[in-house]
Amino acid sequence: MRTNWKLTGLILLSTLGLYSCAGPATSPSPVVWAADSAAVRVVPGPQYARGTTWRAFFGQHYRTWWNTPVTVPVLRLATAVPGGLLPVQAGGSYQSHTLRLQGPDGRQYVLRSVDKDMSAALRPGWKKNLLRALLKDQTSATQPYGAYPAAYLAEAVGVLHANPRLVYLGADPDLGKFRAAYSNALYLLEERPDGDQCGVASFGQSPNVVNSAHMLAALRRNPGNHVPARAYLRARLLDLLLGDWSRREDQWRWASFPQAGRVAYRPVPRDRDQAFFLFDDGLITRLVSWFAPKYQTFRGPIRLENVDGLTRTARALDRTLLTSLSAADFREVADSVRKALGDAVLARAFEMGPPETRAAIAARFVPILRARREQLPAVAQQYFELLNQEAWLIGTDQPETFIVSDTKGGNLRVCVLARRAGRPDSLLLDRTFAAPGTKSLELYGLGGDDRFELRGALPGSIGVRLYPGLGRDEVRTQPGAIAGDVTWFARPDGLGSSPPAGVQAEADPHPELTSNAHAWLQRYNLHD
C-alpha cells in the first residue's frame, strides 16, 4: 500500500510539473466533408499531440496515428440498413461511449466510440479529479484501429467475433434526444452480440447469444451445460497474441447451442480496446507498468514472466473454464492456432482500416505478430503452469460425487460425476494433477447433497481443499486410505457430516461465496 501511495504521489507531482511546461493539448481539428457528404476527412485524436517533454515522461504511444487525418464514410441512420436504424439506449462500460441501435427487423447494433476515456475506470474522488486529464491522455496508448485485425485473426483461428466498421456520425437528425451527446465523432459500428443471431455466421448462427452472468449461472444450474474448453482456450491464446489484457467477464458474450438435455456456450470476445496496447515507452508509464503488471506493452517476443499480468483480469474465468484441459491439450491448441496464422493471414489482417494508416500499421505490427505467433506453444505452457498452481473444480446445485485418488508418481486424479437417481452416474471431468506444478486443488460442491471420496494413499505434496457448500454433504475415505493434506471447510450452520479421521477440519472463511450457485457468481466481474 505504501508503494502505491508513493507511486501515486510521483505521478501527481510529475503531472503538475509537466502541465506547467507542456502547454494545452491541441484543439480539435476541423472536419473536412467530401463534396457528396458521403465521407469526411478527420483527425481522430488531435488532443493527443504533445510536446517532447510530455512524451518523454508519459509516452509517445500511438500519438502519430491518432493525429493522422483519415478518410471515413459517414453513417446515415436512415439508410445504414434497409428500413434504417433508430437509437434505443445510451451506454458505456468503463471507458467507451456507446449507443445501441435497432433496425426494423429487431436486430441490434452498437456504436462504440473510437476515442476513450481511461479516467472513467476510476472511482469518483480527489485522485480522479487530479488524474483525469492524465488518464484521458493515456488513451493514446491504445491503437485506434485495432478492432479490424483482431476480428480478421479471430476468424482465421475459429473464434467467434463481431464485424466492426469505422464510421463518422454527424449531427444526424435521427439521433433524436441523443444528438447532443453523440454527434460529430468517430465510432465503430458492429452487430450487437445478443439474442437471436441465427443469421450471423461470425456469431456461429447461434439462436441465443447471452452475457457472462447468464452463462455462468447456467453452468452451475445444470451439470450438462458447458463451455467447450478448447474453444475458450483458442480465444484466450488470441488475447495473448494481441496483447489484450482487458478480458474481464463483462468483455465476453457466449453463443449458446442447445443439445440433448444441455447447452453448449462458445465464447465471443468483444471490445478489443486494449489490443496492441503500447504503454511502457515513457518514464512514468514504465514505472506504472512495474507496479500494475496487467498493463503489458505489445511487443515481440512475449516475455514469459509477463503471461501472469496479461491474463490476470480473466483469472477467475480461466480457472472456471480451463480446468479440464491438460498440458498436452494446451500444447495441441497452441500448435493449431500457430499453424492457422500463416504469414499471408497476418498480412491480410491489416488490409482493412483507414487507407492513410494501413501501410504504417502493417509494417510495425506484422513482424511483431510473427514473433509472438512462434512463441505460442511456450506461452501456452507458461499459461497452463500458472493456472494449475491453484486449480478449481466446481460443482453445481445438483448432487455430484468428487473422487480424489492417488496415482503412481505422487500425482492426484480427480473425477467429478453427476449423481442421477435411477440411472448410472455421468462423468463430468477426469483430470490428473501433478506436483510440484499443482500446489492446491479446491473442490466446491455448492448446492445439492454432494459426496467427496478419498481413495488410496494421497500424497501430501498437493493440498486438497473441500468446500461442501449448502447441502447435506459428506466426505468418505476407503479402508486404508491416507488423507495426505486434505482439509474440510465446514459451514457455520453445521449441515453435512463431520470429516473422517485424517482429514483436517476448519471453518469455511467465506461461506457467502461457496454456499450455492448464486453465491458463487459473486467471484466474477459481471457489471456490464
PDB file of all heavy atoms in Angstrom, residues 89-124:
ATOM      1  N   GLN A  89     -30.759   3.036 -26.802  1.00  0.00           N
ATOM      2  CA  GLN A  89     -30.219   3.094 -25.443  1.00  0.00           C
ATOM      3  C   GLN A  89     -28.775   3.573 -25.466  1.00  0.00           C
ATOM      4  O   GLN A  89     -27.951   3.064 -26.230  1.00  0.00           O
ATOM      5  CB  GLN A  89     -30.296   1.721 -24.774  1.00  0.00           C
ATOM      6  CG  GLN A  89     -29.822   1.707 -23.331  1.00  0.00           C
ATOM      7  CD  GLN A  89     -30.024   0.345 -22.684  1.00  0.00           C
ATOM      8  OE1 GLN A  89     -30.977  -0.360 -22.968  1.00  0.00           O
ATOM      9  NE2 GLN A  89     -29.111  -0.030 -21.811  1.00  0.00           N
ATOM     10  N   ALA A  90     -28.478   4.549 -24.614  1.00  0.00           N
ATOM     11  CA  ALA A  90     -27.105   5.004 -24.427  1.00  0.00           C
ATOM     12  C   ALA A  90     -26.424   4.115 -23.412  1.00  0.00           C
ATOM     13  O   ALA A  90     -27.072   3.491 -22.565  1.00  0.00           O
ATOM     14  CB  ALA A  90     -27.085   6.454 -23.961  1.00  0.00           C
ATOM     15  N   GLY A  91     -25.111   4.034 -23.511  1.00  0.00           N
ATOM     16  CA  GLY A  91     -24.397   3.194 -22.567  1.00  0.00           C
ATOM     17  C   GLY A  91     -22.922   3.500 -22.561  1.00  0.00           C
ATOM     18  O   GLY A  91     -22.467   4.527 -23.050  1.00  0.00           O
ATOM     19  N   GLY A  92     -22.172   2.572 -22.019  1.00  0.00           N
ATOM     20  CA  GLY A  92     -20.734   2.717 -21.914  1.00  0.00           C
ATOM     21  C   GLY A  92     -20.224   1.904 -20.759  1.00  0.00           C
ATOM     22  O   GLY A  92     -20.780   1.958 -19.662  1.00  0.00           O
ATOM     23  N   SER A  93     -19.182   1.109 -21.014  1.00  0.00           N
ATOM     24  CA  SER A  93     -18.594   0.280 -19.969  1.00  0.00           C
ATOM     25  C   SER A  93     -17.173   0.747 -19.731  1.00  0.00           C
ATOM     26  O   SER A  93     -16.333   0.653 -20.626  1.00  0.00           O
ATOM     27  CB  SER A  93     -18.601  -1.191 -20.392  1.00  0.00           C
ATOM     28  OG  SER A  93     -17.947  -1.997 -19.444  1.00  0.00           O
ATOM     29  N   TYR A  94     -16.917   1.270 -18.539  1.00  0.00           N
ATOM     30  CA  TYR A  94     -15.597   1.740 -18.146  1.00  0.00           C
ATOM     31  C   TYR A  94     -15.145   2.912 -19.016  1.00  0.00           C
ATOM     32  O   TYR A  94     -15.250   4.059 -18.627  1.00  0.00           O
ATOM     33  CB  TYR A  94     -14.576   0.600 -18.167  1.00  0.00           C
ATOM     34  CG  TYR A  94     -14.797  -0.394 -17.052  1.00  0.00           C
ATOM     35  CD1 TYR A  94     -15.633  -1.494 -17.226  1.00  0.00           C
ATOM     36  CD2 TYR A  94     -14.202  -0.222 -15.819  1.00  0.00           C
ATOM     37  CE1 TYR A  94     -15.853  -2.392 -16.192  1.00  0.00           C
ATOM     38  CE2 TYR A  94     -14.419  -1.113 -14.776  1.00  0.00           C
ATOM     39  CZ  TYR A  94     -15.236  -2.191 -14.970  1.00  0.00           C
ATOM     40  OH  TYR A  94     -15.467  -3.063 -13.951  1.00  0.00           O
ATOM     41  N   GLN A  95     -14.652   2.680 -20.222  1.00  0.00           N
ATOM     42  CA  GLN A  95     -14.019   3.739 -20.993  1.00  0.00           C
ATOM     43  C   GLN A  95     -14.796   4.152 -22.227  1.00  0.00           C
ATOM     44  O   GLN A  95     -14.641   5.261 -22.713  1.00  0.00           O
ATOM     45  CB  GLN A  95     -12.616   3.294 -21.415  1.00  0.00           C
ATOM     46  CG  GLN A  95     -11.720   2.909 -20.254  1.00  0.00           C
ATOM     47  CD  GLN A  95     -10.425   2.285 -20.726  1.00  0.00           C
ATOM     48  OE1 GLN A  95      -9.988   2.490 -21.840  1.00  0.00           O
ATOM     49  NE2 GLN A  95      -9.791   1.510 -19.860  1.00  0.00           N
ATOM     50  N   SER A  96     -15.598   3.270 -22.788  1.00  0.00           N
ATOM     51  CA  SER A  96     -16.238   3.514 -24.079  1.00  0.00           C
ATOM     52  C   SER A  96     -17.524   4.319 -23.939  1.00  0.00           C
ATOM     53  O   SER A  96     -18.226   4.247 -22.934  1.00  0.00           O
ATOM     54  CB  SER A  96     -16.548   2.183 -24.774  1.00  0.00           C
ATOM     55  OG  SER A  96     -15.369   1.474 -25.044  1.00  0.00           O
ATOM     56  N   HIS A  97     -17.819   5.068 -24.981  1.00  0.00           N
ATOM     57  CA  HIS A  97     -19.063   5.815 -25.131  1.00  0.00           C
ATOM     58  C   HIS A  97     -19.856   5.043 -26.180  1.00  0.00           C
ATOM     59  O   HIS A  97     -19.439   4.970 -27.344  1.00  0.00           O
ATOM     60  CB  HIS A  97     -18.721   7.231 -25.600  1.00  0.00           C
ATOM     61  CG  HIS A  97     -19.828   8.213 -25.499  1.00  0.00           C
ATOM     62  ND1 HIS A  97     -20.590   8.391 -24.372  1.00  0.00           N
ATOM     63  CD2 HIS A  97     -20.300   9.115 -26.420  1.00  0.00           C
ATOM     64  CE1 HIS A  97     -21.480   9.346 -24.575  1.00  0.00           C
ATOM     65  NE2 HIS A  97     -21.319   9.803 -25.807  1.00  0.00           N
ATOM     66  N   THR A  98     -20.984   4.463 -25.817  1.00  0.00           N
ATOM     67  CA  THR A  98     -21.686   3.575 -26.731  1.00  0.00           C
ATOM     68  C   THR A  98     -23.134   3.991 -26.914  1.00  0.00           C
ATOM     69  O   THR A  98     -23.734   4.642 -26.052  1.00  0.00           O
ATOM     70  CB  THR A  98     -21.655   2.113 -26.234  1.00  0.00           C
ATOM     71  OG1 THR A  98     -22.410   2.003 -25.025  1.00  0.00           O
ATOM     72  CG2 THR A  98     -20.231   1.653 -25.988  1.00  0.00           C
ATOM     73  N   LEU A  99     -23.682   3.576 -28.038  1.00  0.00           N
ATOM     74  CA  LEU A  99     -25.084   3.833 -28.347  1.00  0.00           C
ATOM     75  C   LEU A  99     -25.650   2.603 -29.049  1.00  0.00           C
ATOM     76  O   LEU A  99     -25.115   2.153 -30.060  1.00  0.00           O
ATOM     77  CB  LEU A  99     -25.225   5.062 -29.245  1.00  0.00           C
ATOM     78  CG  LEU A  99     -26.658   5.496 -29.594  1.00  0.00           C
ATOM     79  CD1 LEU A  99     -27.412   5.908 -28.330  1.00  0.00           C
ATOM     80  CD2 LEU A  99     -26.640   6.628 -30.611  1.00  0.00           C
ATOM     81  N   ARG A 100     -26.719   2.074 -28.495  1.00  0.00           N
ATOM     82  CA  ARG A 100     -27.353   0.895 -29.074  1.00  0.00           C
ATOM     83  C   ARG A 100     -28.377   1.330 -30.125  1.00  0.00           C
ATOM     84  O   ARG A 100     -29.172   2.256 -29.897  1.00  0.00           O
ATOM     85  CB  ARG A 100     -28.032   0.066 -27.993  1.00  0.00           C
ATOM     86  CG  ARG A 100     -28.464  -1.315 -28.454  1.00  0.00           C
ATOM     87  CD  ARG A 100     -29.233  -2.044 -27.368  1.00  0.00           C
ATOM     88  NE  ARG A 100     -28.485  -2.117 -26.114  1.00  0.00           N
ATOM     89  CZ  ARG A 100     -28.977  -2.660 -25.006  1.00  0.00           C
ATOM     90  NH1 ARG A 100     -30.220  -3.145 -24.991  1.00  0.00           N
ATOM     91  NH2 ARG A 100     -28.236  -2.702 -23.919  1.00  0.00           N
ATOM     92  N   LEU A 101     -28.358   0.655 -31.266  1.00  0.00           N
ATOM     93  CA  LEU A 101     -29.245   0.959 -32.379  1.00  0.00           C
ATOM     94  C   LEU A 101     -30.075  -0.277 -32.732  1.00  0.00           C
ATOM     95  O   LEU A 101     -29.625  -1.405 -32.529  1.00  0.00           O
ATOM     96  CB  LEU A 101     -28.449   1.399 -33.609  1.00  0.00           C
ATOM     97  CG  LEU A 101     -27.407   2.511 -33.403  1.00  0.00           C
ATOM     98  CD1 LEU A 101     -26.548   2.658 -34.654  1.00  0.00           C
ATOM     99  CD2 LEU A 101     -28.089   3.829 -33.065  1.00  0.00           C
ATOM    100  N   GLN A 102     -31.244  -0.055 -33.300  1.00  0.00           N
ATOM    101  CA  GLN A 102     -32.097  -1.185 -33.678  1.00  0.00           C
ATOM    102  C   GLN A 102     -32.706  -0.960 -35.047  1.00  0.00           C
ATOM    103  O   GLN A 102     -33.153   0.141 -35.376  1.00  0.00           O
ATOM    104  CB  GLN A 102     -33.210  -1.388 -32.650  1.00  0.00           C
ATOM    105  CG  GLN A 102     -34.094  -2.603 -32.919  1.00  0.00           C
ATOM    106  CD  GLN A 102     -34.971  -2.937 -31.736  1.00  0.00           C
ATOM    107  OE1 GLN A 102     -34.471  -3.208 -30.649  1.00  0.00           O
ATOM    108  NE2 GLN A 102     -36.279  -2.910 -31.937  1.00  0.00           N
ATOM    109  N   GLY A 103     -32.709  -2.034 -35.856  1.00  0.00           N
ATOM    110  CA  GLY A 103     -33.314  -1.984 -37.165  1.00  0.00           C
ATOM    111  C   GLY A 103     -34.768  -2.423 -37.115  1.00  0.00           C
ATOM    112  O   GLY A 103     -35.255  -2.932 -36.098  1.00  0.00           O
ATOM    113  N   PRO A 104     -35.488  -2.286 -38.224  1.00  0.00           N
ATOM    114  CA  PRO A 104     -36.912  -2.653 -38.238  1.00  0.00           C
ATOM    115  C   PRO A 104     -37.164  -4.146 -38.040  1.00  0.00           C
ATOM    116  O   PRO A 104     -38.267  -4.536 -37.645  1.00  0.00           O
ATOM    117  CB  PRO A 104     -37.380  -2.194 -39.628  1.00  0.00           C
ATOM    118  CG  PRO A 104     -36.133  -2.080 -40.442  1.00  0.00           C
ATOM    119  CD  PRO A 104     -35.049  -1.706 -39.497  1.00  0.00           C
ATOM    120  N   ASP A 105     -36.138  -4.975 -38.287  1.00  0.00           N
ATOM    121  CA  ASP A 105     -36.288  -6.418 -38.079  1.00  0.00           C
ATOM    122  C   ASP A 105     -35.980  -6.829 -36.639  1.00  0.00           C
ATOM    123  O   ASP A 105     -36.017  -8.025 -36.317  1.00  0.00           O
ATOM    124  CB  ASP A 105     -35.395  -7.194 -39.045  1.00  0.00           C
ATOM    125  CG  ASP A 105     -33.910  -6.854 -38.891  1.00  0.00           C
ATOM    126  OD1 ASP A 105     -33.585  -5.951 -38.080  1.00  0.00           O
ATOM    127  OD2 ASP A 105     -33.083  -7.471 -39.588  1.00  0.00           O
ATOM    128  N   GLY A 106     -35.698  -5.868 -35.785  1.00  0.00           N
ATOM    129  CA  GLY A 106     -35.395  -6.170 -34.391  1.00  0.00           C
ATOM    130  C   GLY A 106     -33.923  -6.408 -34.104  1.00  0.00           C
ATOM    131  O   GLY A 106     -33.522  -6.473 -32.941  1.00  0.00           O
ATOM    132  N   ARG A 107     -33.116  -6.566 -35.147  1.00  0.00           N
ATOM    133  CA  ARG A 107     -31.689  -6.765 -34.940  1.00  0.00           C
ATOM    134  C   ARG A 107     -31.057  -5.493 -34.387  1.00  0.00           C
ATOM    135  O   ARG A 107     -31.413  -4.383 -34.784  1.00  0.00           O
ATOM    136  CB  ARG A 107     -30.988  -7.153 -36.245  1.00  0.00           C
ATOM    137  CG  ARG A 107     -31.291  -8.564 -36.706  1.00  0.00           C
ATOM    138  CD  ARG A 107     -30.422  -8.926 -37.890  1.00  0.00           C
ATOM    139  NE  ARG A 107     -29.013  -8.861 -37.539  1.00  0.00           N
ATOM    140  CZ  ARG A 107     -28.030  -8.898 -38.438  1.00  0.00           C
ATOM    141  NH1 ARG A 107     -28.308  -8.974 -39.724  1.00  0.00           N
ATOM    142  NH2 ARG A 107     -26.776  -8.859 -38.046  1.00  0.00           N
ATOM    143  N   GLN A 108     -30.121  -5.685 -33.465  1.00  0.00           N
ATOM    144  CA  GLN A 108     -29.491  -4.538 -32.828  1.00  0.00           C
ATOM    145  C   GLN A 108     -28.012  -4.424 -33.202  1.00  0.00           C
ATOM    146  O   GLN A 108     -27.347  -5.424 -33.470  1.00  0.00           O
ATOM    147  CB  GLN A 108     -29.643  -4.622 -31.306  1.00  0.00           C
ATOM    148  CG  GLN A 108     -31.083  -4.453 -30.838  1.00  0.00           C
ATOM    149  CD  GLN A 108     -31.183  -4.170 -29.357  1.00  0.00           C
ATOM    150  OE1 GLN A 108     -30.247  -4.401 -28.588  1.00  0.00           O
ATOM    151  NE2 GLN A 108     -32.332  -3.662 -28.930  1.00  0.00           N
ATOM    152  N   TYR A 109     -27.563  -3.195 -33.197  1.00  0.00           N
ATOM    153  CA  TYR A 109     -26.176  -2.860 -33.485  1.00  0.00           C
ATOM    154  C   TYR A 109     -25.694  -1.942 -32.372  1.00  0.00           C
ATOM    155  O   TYR A 109     -26.484  -1.427 -31.580  1.00  0.00           O
ATOM    156  CB  TYR A 109     -26.064  -2.152 -34.849  1.00  0.00           C
ATOM    157  CG  TYR A 109     -26.600  -2.964 -36.001  1.00  0.00           C
ATOM    158  CD1 TYR A 109     -27.980  -3.050 -36.229  1.00  0.00           C
ATOM    159  CD2 TYR A 109     -25.753  -3.649 -36.854  1.00  0.00           C
ATOM    160  CE1 TYR A 109     -28.485  -3.798 -37.280  1.00  0.00           C
ATOM    161  CE2 TYR A 109     -26.254  -4.396 -37.924  1.00  0.00           C
ATOM    162  CZ  TYR A 109     -27.613  -4.468 -38.115  1.00  0.00           C
ATOM    163  OH  TYR A 109     -28.108  -5.211 -39.154  1.00  0.00           O
ATOM    164  N   VAL A 110     -24.397  -1.732 -32.330  1.00  0.00           N
ATOM    165  CA  VAL A 110     -23.854  -0.839 -31.316  1.00  0.00           C
ATOM    166  C   VAL A 110     -22.793   0.057 -31.940  1.00  0.00           C
ATOM    167  O   VAL A 110     -21.994  -0.389 -32.771  1.00  0.00           O
ATOM    168  CB  VAL A 110     -23.280  -1.623 -30.112  1.00  0.00           C
ATOM    169  CG1 VAL A 110     -22.101  -2.481 -30.527  1.00  0.00           C
ATOM    170  CG2 VAL A 110     -22.895  -0.694 -28.981  1.00  0.00           C
ATOM    171  N   LEU A 111     -22.837   1.312 -31.571  1.00  0.00           N
ATOM    172  CA  LEU A 111     -21.783   2.266 -31.905  1.00  0.00           C
ATOM    173  C   LEU A 111     -20.882   2.399 -30.694  1.00  0.00           C
ATOM    174  O   LEU A 111     -21.355   2.706 -29.590  1.00  0.00           O
ATOM    175  CB  LEU A 111     -22.379   3.636 -32.249  1.00  0.00           C
ATOM    176  CG  LEU A 111     -23.036   3.806 -33.610  1.00  0.00           C
ATOM    177  CD1 LEU A 111     -23.811   5.119 -33.652  1.00  0.00           C
ATOM    178  CD2 LEU A 111     -22.001   3.771 -34.726  1.00  0.00           C
ATOM    179  N   ARG A 112     -19.577   2.176 -30.871  1.00  0.00           N
ATOM    180  CA  ARG A 112     -18.605   2.329 -29.787  1.00  0.00           C
ATOM    181  C   ARG A 112     -17.605   3.401 -30.194  1.00  0.00           C
ATOM    182  O   ARG A 112     -17.007   3.328 -31.266  1.00  0.00           O
ATOM    183  CB  ARG A 112     -17.869   1.008 -29.509  1.00  0.00           C
ATOM    184  CG  ARG A 112     -18.753  -0.062 -28.922  1.00  0.00           C
ATOM    185  CD  ARG A 112     -17.950  -1.227 -28.362  1.00  0.00           C
ATOM    186  NE  ARG A 112     -17.161  -1.911 -29.371  1.00  0.00           N
ATOM    187  CZ  ARG A 112     -15.833  -1.894 -29.426  1.00  0.00           C
ATOM    188  NH1 ARG A 112     -15.147  -1.196 -28.550  1.00  0.00           N
ATOM    189  NH2 ARG A 112     -15.207  -2.565 -30.356  1.00  0.00           N
ATOM    190  N   SER A 113     -17.439   4.381 -29.369  1.00  0.00           N
ATOM    191  CA  SER A 113     -16.554   5.490 -29.693  1.00  0.00           C
ATOM    192  C   SER A 113     -15.128   5.003 -29.900  1.00  0.00           C
ATOM    193  O   SER A 113     -14.628   4.158 -29.158  1.00  0.00           O
ATOM    194  CB  SER A 113     -16.589   6.539 -28.576  1.00  0.00           C
ATOM    195  OG  SER A 113     -16.182   5.958 -27.350  1.00  0.00           O
ATOM    196  N   VAL A 114     -14.472   5.547 -30.906  1.00  0.00           N
ATOM    197  CA  VAL A 114     -13.058   5.241 -31.125  1.00  0.00           C
ATOM    198  C   VAL A 114     -12.220   5.888 -30.019  1.00  0.00           C
ATOM    199  O   VAL A 114     -11.309   5.268 -29.467  1.00  0.00           O
ATOM    200  CB  VAL A 114     -12.619   5.729 -32.517  1.00  0.00           C
ATOM    201  CG1 VAL A 114     -11.095   5.616 -32.675  1.00  0.00           C
ATOM    202  CG2 VAL A 114     -13.319   4.927 -33.608  1.00  0.00           C
ATOM    203  N   ASP A 115     -12.534   7.106 -29.675  1.00  0.00           N
ATOM    204  CA  ASP A 115     -11.849   7.780 -28.576  1.00  0.00           C
ATOM    205  C   ASP A 115     -12.414   7.272 -27.253  1.00  0.00           C
ATOM    206  O   ASP A 115     -13.628   7.065 -27.113  1.00  0.00           O
ATOM    207  CB  ASP A 115     -12.042   9.289 -28.686  1.00  0.00           C
ATOM    208  CG  ASP A 115     -11.068  10.060 -27.824  1.00  0.00           C
ATOM    209  OD1 ASP A 115     -10.122   9.446 -27.296  1.00  0.00           O
ATOM    210  OD2 ASP A 115     -11.258  11.284 -27.681  1.00  0.00           O
ATOM    211  N   LYS A 116     -11.553   7.056 -26.279  1.00  0.00           N
ATOM    212  CA  LYS A 116     -11.939   6.521 -24.978  1.00  0.00           C
ATOM    213  C   LYS A 116     -11.574   7.512 -23.884  1.00  0.00           C
ATOM    214  O   LYS A 116     -10.998   8.563 -24.127  1.00  0.00           O
ATOM    215  CB  LYS A 116     -11.226   5.187 -24.706  1.00  0.00           C
ATOM    216  CG  LYS A 116     -11.235   4.208 -25.871  1.00  0.00           C
ATOM    217  CD  LYS A 116     -12.604   3.706 -26.211  1.00  0.00           C
ATOM    218  CE  LYS A 116     -12.560   2.739 -27.382  1.00  0.00           C
ATOM    219  NZ  LYS A 116     -13.906   2.330 -27.813  1.00  0.00           N
ATOM    220  N   ASP A 117     -11.896   7.122 -22.670  1.00  0.00           N
ATOM    221  CA  ASP A 117     -11.506   7.918 -21.511  1.00  0.00           C
ATOM    222  C   ASP A 117     -11.121   6.955 -20.399  1.00  0.00           C
ATOM    223  O   ASP A 117     -11.977   6.405 -19.715  1.00  0.00           O
ATOM    224  CB  ASP A 117     -12.655   8.823 -21.065  1.00  0.00           C
ATOM    225  CG  ASP A 117     -12.252   9.746 -19.924  1.00  0.00           C
ATOM    226  OD1 ASP A 117     -11.094   9.656 -19.467  1.00  0.00           O
ATOM    227  OD2 ASP A 117     -13.088  10.546 -19.488  1.00  0.00           O
ATOM    228  N   MET A 118      -9.819   6.735 -20.218  1.00  0.00           N
ATOM    229  CA  MET A 118      -9.349   5.792 -19.215  1.00  0.00           C
ATOM    230  C   MET A 118      -9.675   6.247 -17.799  1.00  0.00           C
ATOM    231  O   MET A 118      -9.746   5.433 -16.877  1.00  0.00           O
ATOM    232  CB  MET A 118      -7.838   5.568 -19.363  1.00  0.00           C
ATOM    233  CG  MET A 118      -7.454   4.892 -20.663  1.00  0.00           C
ATOM    234  SD  MET A 118      -5.683   4.538 -20.793  1.00  0.00           S
ATOM    235  CE  MET A 118      -5.511   3.200 -19.614  1.00  0.00           C
ATOM    236  N   SER A 119      -9.917   7.534 -17.602  1.00  0.00           N
ATOM    237  CA  SER A 119     -10.244   8.008 -16.257  1.00  0.00           C
ATOM    238  C   SER A 119     -11.615   7.530 -15.805  1.00  0.00           C
ATOM    239  O   SER A 119     -11.928   7.559 -14.614  1.00  0.00           O
ATOM    240  CB  SER A 119     -10.197   9.540 -16.196  1.00  0.00           C
ATOM    241  OG  SER A 119     -11.277  10.120 -16.910  1.00  0.00           O
ATOM    242  N   ALA A 120     -12.449   7.077 -16.741  1.00  0.00           N
ATOM    243  CA  ALA A 120     -13.786   6.595 -16.382  1.00  0.00           C
ATOM    244  C   ALA A 120     -13.731   5.348 -15.506  1.00  0.00           C
ATOM    245  O   ALA A 120     -14.706   5.009 -14.838  1.00  0.00           O
ATOM    246  CB  ALA A 120     -14.595   6.310 -17.646  1.00  0.00           C
ATOM    247  N   ALA A 121     -12.588   4.647 -15.515  1.00  0.00           N
ATOM    248  CA  ALA A 121     -12.450   3.441 -14.704  1.00  0.00           C
ATOM    249  C   ALA A 121     -12.160   3.748 -13.241  1.00  0.00           C
ATOM    250  O   ALA A 121     -12.228   2.858 -12.398  1.00  0.00           O
ATOM    251  CB  ALA A 121     -11.349   2.554 -15.275  1.00  0.00           C
ATOM    252  N   LEU A 122     -11.841   5.014 -12.926  1.00  0.00           N
ATOM    253  CA  LEU A 122     -11.544   5.388 -11.547  1.00  0.00           C
ATOM    254  C   LEU A 122     -12.822   5.722 -10.775  1.00  0.00           C
ATOM    255  O   LEU A 122     -13.785   6.256 -11.343  1.00  0.00           O
ATOM    256  CB  LEU A 122     -10.630   6.619 -11.513  1.00  0.00           C
ATOM    257  CG  LEU A 122      -9.165   6.422 -11.898  1.00  0.00           C
ATOM    258  CD1 LEU A 122      -8.462   7.766 -11.820  1.00  0.00           C
ATOM    259  CD2 LEU A 122      -8.478   5.409 -11.011  1.00  0.00           C
ATOM    260  N   ARG A 123     -12.816   5.425  -9.494  1.00  0.00           N
ATOM    261  CA  ARG A 123     -13.927   5.821  -8.644  1.00  0.00           C
ATOM    262  C   ARG A 123     -13.902   7.329  -8.446  1.00  0.00           C
ATOM    263  O   ARG A 123     -12.835   7.947  -8.423  1.00  0.00           O
ATOM    264  CB  ARG A 123     -13.837   5.121  -7.289  1.00  0.00           C
ATOM    265  CG  ARG A 123     -13.995   3.605  -7.369  1.00  0.00           C
ATOM    266  CD  ARG A 123     -13.853   2.988  -5.988  1.00  0.00           C
ATOM    267  NE  ARG A 123     -14.004   1.543  -6.042  1.00  0.00           N
ATOM    268  CZ  ARG A 123     -13.875   0.737  -4.993  1.00  0.00           C
ATOM    269  NH1 ARG A 123     -13.589   1.256  -3.798  1.00  0.00           N
ATOM    270  NH2 ARG A 123     -14.036  -0.562  -5.118  1.00  0.00           N
ATOM    271  N   PRO A 124     -15.068   7.934  -8.288  1.00  0.00           N
ATOM    272  CA  PRO A 124     -15.095   9.381  -8.039  1.00  0.00           C
ATOM    273  C   PRO A 124     -14.302   9.735  -6.781  1.00  0.00           C
ATOM    274  O   PRO A 124     -14.308   8.993  -5.798  1.00  0.00           O
ATOM    275  CB  PRO A 124     -16.590   9.669  -7.851  1.00  0.00           C
ATOM    276  CG  PRO A 124     -17.290   8.560  -8.574  1.00  0.00           C
ATOM    277  CD  PRO A 124     -16.415   7.345  -8.399  1.00  0.00           C
TER     278      PRO A 124
END
